Amino acid sequence: MAKSYDVIVIGGGPAGYPAAIRAAQNGFKVACIDSWKNFDGSHAFGGTCLNAGCIPSKAMLESSEMFHKANHELSKHGVKLGKVELDLKTMQERRAGIVKQLTSGIGQLLKGNGVDPIKGHGRLLKDGKVEVTDFDDDSKKEVLEGKHIVIAAGSQPIELKSVAPFDDEVIVDSWRALEWDSVPKKLGVIGGGVIGLEMGSVWKRLGAEVTVFEAMDNFLFMADQQVAKVAQRDFKKLGLDIKLGAKVSKAKANKKSVTVTYEDKSGEQEMKFDKLIVAVGRRPYTENLLEDGCGVNLDDRGFIKVDEECRTDKANIYAIGDCVRGPMLAHKATEEGIMVADLIAGKVAEVNYDVIPSVIYTHPEVAWVGKTEEQLKEEGVPYKAGTFNMAANGRAKAMEAASGLIKFLAHEKSDEILGVHIVGPMASELIAEAVVAMEFRASAEDIQRTIHAHPALAEGMHEAALAVDNMAIHAINKK
Ligand code: FAD
Ligand code: NAI
């Protein structure tokens, strides 16, 4: 007889494992099936985020920033160093160690919360059961029965098969590029989105010459364009060569280098690199996941079709995270997992899709939540904008990081905060205040009347909220 569970979760990334833990906390018998395979063939829970995404990339961003600071900034603080040397082996060991600690922690968390962790590939059958192929032996299969099934299969990098197919040596995805054991002299990146900028920054700071090819004419087209312009200026200062409106038509690789053909305003051109990262987005991972006739359908972009509450077309089957519509972000994935586990338990739960923060962990950091000024204009929403220049923030000065800006957008009549956009130091942490404020539907005045510690970067939030009504203290206000 098939082993049975109240809830079976397929996928153990930031969508799946929190869903499994919350379902177990809600008193259910739960299994979490995961098939993540590392380059050495070993298994680890945590999905893309912990193994190949958020965590290792942040570890490398942090380490490369230290190296950059030691080379270029510490002397401004009066800290003199001898010759600064890069020990990439130690840097990479540190990254791998953090990943190992966190991913093995997930296995323990699952077990500790009473979830059955299962290593293997899950497939939804047409009779509603789940077939599990053993992780180590493809010929071993087991069928599980679940009253509720949650699909959290995640995503994979998009490959430009006809232009720049991965060879895993010279033309690679972001995962391979995180684990290089030497710094490429010349690095090309196709895609000037989040991965392109984060990975480009890591290797630039470690000494590579980096060129980013972005097909769109606007830099960071999804971000508020005032903030994007400041970020673009600072990336240029770092030395990233970002080519906008540049379409790569061919990348021809041999074992040691790759020649990229691209076209921009100046016509067709060629550049040669030691390595090329392709970072043009990710696609839902649904390979061998759904048996024909299982009742779960895909939308026209290949994502699993779900409603606002992540219900698929089939009763009692949910899908969450990167394999469904919405931003491909770990925190969005997790919140959907928690929502679904609570809905299954009959609780009231929802995800507020209007208030999901986005962060780019470069230097400067870029973070935003809610609407951009461009979106408000397009939607015809009457608004007031207030910006504060972080050059006037005392803490930022003390940190030798006094650049960037914070921008608040509030409704012209109700004063409700509609969007907050930050470029500058610790934007990833500052944005949390805006997220909480917007979740509580705060007005700009609510932030204006909230006491912020001095000296702190967060005073920039206070000042930007004041600027909405032309009342910032450390600024010359418009009359
Ligand atoms: P995944 O993390 O992809 O997990 C899915 C899991 O399910 C995987 O382990 C997979 O092997 C497994 N699986 C798939 N199919 C099956 C099956 N049939 N049976 C069993 N198991 C299966 N997001 C952020 O919010 N912040 C960041 O800083 C950030 N940085 C990133 C950096 C990089 C380089 C990359 C690539 C991504 C980054 N992301 C970041 C995005 C983030 O990683 C994803 O949004 C997040 O991992 C999605 O979670 P998920 O659980 O939906 O999918
Ligand atoms: P992305 O969608 O952020 O950026 C892809 C970029 O490539 C876009 O700017 C697009 O215009 C460009 N592009 C597409 N095709 C192109 C082509 N042929 N030539 C040149 N440019 C082209 O996708 P990315 O950077 O691959 O990241 C994937 C996902 O991972 C994102 O959705 C993001 O949400 C998530 N992620 C999140 C991070 C974070 O939260 N800090 C960090 C890294 C990834």
Side-chain angles (χ1 to χ4, degrees), residues 9-18 32-37 43-58 61 118-124 130-133 151-157 174-175 178 194-195 198-199 282 285-290 320-324 327-334 336 357-361:
V9 181
I10 303 177
Y17 81 77
C32 181
I33 309 163
D34 184 78
S35 61
W36 183 271
K37 197 170 254 171
H43 173 265
F45 279 100
T48 306
C49 177
L50 271 74
N51 287 291
C54 326
I55 299 301
S57 64
K58 264 79 261 179
L61 279 156
I118 299 176
K119 288 193 296 177
H121 182 90
R123 180 162 169 259
L124 184 67
V130 176
E131 176 193 73
V132 183
T133 305
I151 302 171
S155 63
Q156 276 198 323
S174 53
W175 187 12
L178 275 166
V194 197
I195 294 184
E198 290 191 355
M199 297 307 300
R282 296 178 61 86
Y285 180 63
T286 52
E287 252 97 77
N288 194 23
L289 176 69
L290 307 169
I320 56 177
D322 277 13
C323 65
V324 304
M328 287 181 161
L329 294 172
H331 39 284
K332 173 263 193 186
T334 296
E336 287 182 337
S358 293
V359 179
I360 308 177
Y361 292 82

Side-chain angles (χ1 to χ4, degrees), residues 143-195:
V143 173
L144 306 178
E145 238 173 287
K147 289 192 191 119
H148 304 270
I149 293 162
V150 181
I151 302 171
S155 63
Q156 276 198 323
I158 292 175
E159 182 172 13
L160 295 175
K161 276 207 173 98
S162 60
V163 173
F166 295 130
D167 62 13
D168 295 344
E169 275 294 326
V170 175
I171 305 180
V172 301
D173 65 13
S174 53
W175 187 12
R176 298 262 169 198
L178 275 166
E179 303 202 0
W180 282 330
D181 57 10
S182 64
V183 181
K185 206 160 167 301
K186 289 188 173 212
L187 169 63
V189 184
I190 308 184
V194 197
I195 294 184

Side-chain angles (χ1 to χ4, degrees), residues 384-386 415 444-445 448 464-472 477-478:
K384 316 177 266 184
D415 197 35
E445 188 182 354
Q448 292 169 0
L466 285 164
V468 161
D469 294 311
N470 284 324
M471 291 193 304
N477 293 289
K478 294 172 254 168

Side-chain angles (χ1 to χ4, degrees), residues 5 37 55 75 84-85 118 226 250 317 330 364 409 427 464 474-475:
Y5 290 92
K37 197 170 254 171
I55 299 301
S75 57
V84 178
E85 279 180 61
I118 299 176
Q226 190 180 0
K250 194 80 212 144
I317 301 186
L409 298 165
H474 297 91

